[in-house]
Amino acid sequence: MITRDEAIALDRDDPLAVFRDRFVITEPDLIYLDGNSLGRLPKATVERVRATMVEEWGNGLVGSWRSAWISQPAELGAQLAPLIGADPDEVLMTDQTSVNLYKLAAAALEVQAPRSTVLTDSGNFPSDVYVLSGVAEQAGGSLRMVDSDGGAPSAESIAAALDERVGLVSLSHVNFKSGALLDMDLVTSVSHDAGALTLWDLSHSVGAVPVDLRGAGADLAVGCTYKYLNGGPGAPAFLYVARRLQEKLTQPIRGWWGQQDMFGFDLDYRPAAGMSRFATGTMPMLSLAAAREGIEISAEAGIEQLRTKGKALTSLMVDLFDSLPSKYGFTLGSPRSPEQRGSHVSLRHDDGYRIAQALIGRGVVPDFRAPDLVRLGAAPLYTRFVDVWDAFTRLRDIMERDEHRHYSDQPSGVT
Ligand SMILES: *Cc1c(COP(=O)(O)O)cnc(C)c1O
């Protein structure tokens, strides 16, 4: 078993250690293992948002649309593109992940008619399942679900569920519960062989796991920027449309920001060229300003280095899990192989909710995902090896003393 000093030595040798200082950390003793739900605040974001408010809004007023704002959604998309293996003109920052998923799924089914079945897996994020079932029903079809068996669906089970009715396959690249990572190349190719388009949700991949949309031949993708990209609460999401599909697809929410000449104010909707057609209404400039720094920091750190550290951190979590006495009752809810998981590790326990509460009481912030997962996120930009070591020490202490039994076992509100 690794010692605390050895964990400290890993931090000393960590090439990404310098990035921790780029974030606002007001409680140095707090161990934050929930950067996969809401990333930390970059220090530079504070000044950037202030400047956007005071200078661009306060002084520049409406003129700032022309001088600074109108191009932001495309510029930020271009900045994010290398992190997901896309070209700069294939990504747009706009709306929320759920809304973008709706827009792209509906656009895909329109060109895939009469195919109107959407295929996903039972472990996908509920919002995705709701949106996809709604889109499929609107197209006269339905949602078909592959059983992911608590992890991620295999490419074989996806291939087996494909037929001539499936127009779209939409899956999360990294599963939000187990952290299981899907083989994007293989799933995309089996889907294409069956005549379906693919729509990937990259919410738990972007900024933590290299994604190569171009290399996989992927068609469509969405994802959020407030997790590993540290874009802030409710930061605008992104959407990706492969260049070869951009002129073929039209999105269902026709708004003036997606119109060819938005200031022509003409009443006939003609979709703009390129990615602009996937925009709808006025973009949230303060939130876009807040999101920029997080994307820049991740690009600067480099996705390969982020992945290397993320794998090392989650491997340390798995090693420390293995060293817990079995009498505590935990099982591993994530793949053992670092190649097969994203940047979080889930521990399963029947008393998971109370244990998550007890950890928070001890200054360790995980989150809880029903029914029994304590999710530990390893955001590589600011999580230290010693944080992981200390978190497991506190967990052992809690279990030894049955401290979690002092907490309510009724999940309520935000978990
Ligand atoms: C976090 C997350 C979302 C978030 O959707 P919003 O519309 O931004 O709330 C969507 N899908 C997955 C897989 C996620 O992990």
Side-chain angles (χ1 to χ4, degrees):
M1 242 287 291
I2 176 175
T3 64
R4 190 169 195 274
D5 283 342
E6 285 165 345
I8 291 171
L10 290 174
D11 288 317
R12 211 165 33 233
D13 295 339
D14 168 20
L16 294 183
V18 290
F19 283 94
R20 184 174 160 90
D21 194 43
R22 305 269 286 269
F23 292 88
V24 172
I25 296 177
T26 50
E27 290 180 69
D29 293 333
L30 183 82
I31 299 175
Y32 190 61
L33 300 181
D34 209 9
N36 52 322
S37 183
L38 177 67
R40 281 189 179 274
L41 168 63
K43 287 178 182 166
T45 298
V46 178
E47 175 50 27
R48 204 183 287 264
V49 173
R50 196 204 65 82
T52 304
M53 283 206 287
V54 176
E55 287 152 35
E56 295 175 7
W57 177 16
N59 300 336
L61 292 168
V62 77
S64 288
W65 278 114
R66 185 196 297 270
S67 63
W69 293 339
I70 199 99
S71 58
Q72 291 291 309
E75 270 178 34
L76 280 160
Q79 214 161 27
L80 195 150
L83 291 169
I84 54 173
D87 284 335
D89 60 351
E90 292 178 314
V91 185
L92 184 73
M93 289 268 292
T94 184
D95 299 320
Q96 296 145 305
T97 308
S98 305
V99 173
N100 288 335
L101 192 79
Y102 174 76
K103 293 189 295 189
L104 295 189
L109 282 193
E110 190 186 13
V111 296
Q112 288 284 70
R115 291 171 176 249
S116 57
T117 297
V118 176
L119 186 68
T120 190
D121 76 282
S122 59
N124 203 353
F125 190 64
S127 195
D128 294 40
V129 173
Y130 309 148
V131 166
L132 295 170
S133 65
V135 168
E137 283 166 26
Q138 279 169 6
S142 61
L143 184 65
R144 186 178 294 174
M145 244 170 331
V146 173
D147 186 9
S148 60
D149 198 24
S154 63
E156 298 77 54
S157 63
I158 291 161
L162 286 163
D163 61 24
E164 72 299 334
R165 285 194 295 189
V166 177
L168 180 69
V169 175
S170 183
L171 300 162
S172 287
H173 184 220
V174 171
N175 182 280
F176 82 108
K177 283 188 175 175
S178 65
L181 176 64
L182 280 189
D183 184 337
M184 182 182 281
D185 290 9
L186 189 57
V187 171
T188 302
S189 103
V190 299
S191 303
H192 286 174
D193 288 348
L197 292 170
T198 53
L199 168 49
W200 291 97
D201 189 327
L202 306 178
S203 294
H204 279 278
S205 322
V206 65
V209 177
V211 177
D212 186 5
L213 290 167
R214 189 189 307 111
D219 304 297
L220 308 164
V222 297
C224 71
T225 63
Y226 50 78
K227 293 174 179 163
Y228 294 105
L229 288 181
N230 307 301
F238 63 89
L239 52 77
Y240 155 88
V241 180
R243 193 180 298 104
R244 66 193 142 75
L245 288 172
Q246 289 174 8
E247 305 300 311
K248 294 199 180 115
L249 300 186
T250 50
Q251 60 123 329
I253 313 177
R254 301 177 179 188
W256 69 307
W257 277 58
Q259 161 75 346
Q260 211 175 75
D261 174 14
M262 68 184 280
F263 288 100
F265 297 114
D266 149 1
L267 294 187
D268 292 323
Y269 181 76
R270 278 166 293 119
M275 289 304 289
S276 299
R277 65 176 53 198
F278 300 101
T280 298
T282 306
M283 304 276 187
M285 286 303 146
L286 299 180
S287 298
L288 280 164
R292 179 181 284 264
E293 187 65 25
I295 296 171
E296 282 181 8
I297 293 178
S298 292
E300 187 187 327
I303 191 66
E304 294 301 333
Q305 295 226 75
L306 290 166
R307 176 61 172 156
T308 301
K309 181 170 174 193
K311 284 195 289 193
L313 285 165
T314 57
S315 295
L316 177 59
M317 288 175 177
V318 172
D319 288 349
L320 291 168
F321 157 80
D322 282 337
S323 74
L324 294 175
S326 59
K327 66 174 182 190
Y328 293 165
F330 288 102
T331 54
L332 187 62
S334 297
R336 276 200 166 268
S337 157
E339 302 303 328
Q340 285 171 16
R341 61 175 184 249
S343 214
H344 72 264
V345 165
S346 293
L347 306 183
R348 307 187 85 127
H349 195 289
D350 290 342
D351 244 346
Y353 179 66
R354 293 205 288 189
I355 293 167
Q357 296 302 104
L359 280 166
I360 293 169
R362 287 287 203 109
V364 178
V365 182
D367 59 21
F368 172 73
R369 289 293 173 262
D372 61 354
L373 296 179
V374 180
R375 210 169 55 155
L376 308 173
L381 282 168
Y382 48 75
T383 306
R384 296 171 302 194
F385 291 92
V386 73
D387 294 334
V388 171
W389 201 94
D390 286 345
F392 273 81
T393 303
R394 293 185 207 177
L395 177 61
R396 263 172 184 272
D397 243 33
I398 289 166
M399 301 312 290
E400 265 318 306
R401 297 165 197 222
D402 273 343
E403 223 168 85
H404 55 291
R405 295 191 196 273
H406 303 311
Y407 291 83
S408 158
D409 60 1
Q410 295 304 311
S412 65
V414 180
T415 64

